Amino acid sequence: MQRKLTITVSDEVYHGLYHHVGRGEISRFIDNLVRPHVVMHGALDEEYRQAARDEQAEREAREWIEANVDEELE
């Protein structure tokens, strides 16, 4: 599914996109550029779910964080 999005960019950015990417390709270019920053990939998402279900690992992580909470960062 696709959604229409209205964004505002400077004239310089628009002309650069138009010149380098092409009129009919700007949306695809922006989608491909932004996607890795905002969309969780299925495999990684599943790995996070599995890690969250690992109660022993979660308990150890919590203990480590709480044990080191008073230490200063150098």
Side-chain angles (χ1 to χ4, degrees):
M1 183 169 143
Q2 291 182 331
R3 302 273 181 147
K4 184 173 183 173
L5 174 68
T6 302
I7 62 170
T8 304
V9 297
S10 68
D11 284 339
E12 293 173 330
V13 170
Y14 176 78
H15 291 299
L17 286 167
Y18 188 86
H19 176 72
H20 292 289
V21 179
R23 181 172 182 230
E25 300 297 318
I26 293 174
S27 291
R28 183 183 327 204
F29 175 80
I30 292 173
D31 189 86
N32 290 338
L33 186 66
V34 172
R35 178 177 297 278
H37 300 282
V38 298
V39 176
M40 290 290 287
H41 298 286
L44 182 59
D45 194 30
E46 180 56 31
E47 288 179 28
Y48 279 127
R49 279 195 209 94
Q50 288 176 0
R53 288 191 296 261
D54 185 344
E55 294 177 13
Q56 177 64 26
E58 289 290 313
R59 186 170 32 258
E60 289 172 4
R62 225 179 346 270
E63 289 171 4
W64 182 84
I65 291 168
E66 291 171 0
N68 296 302
V69 76
D70 292 330
E71 290 184 14
E72 291 183 29
L73 295 176
E74 295 182 30

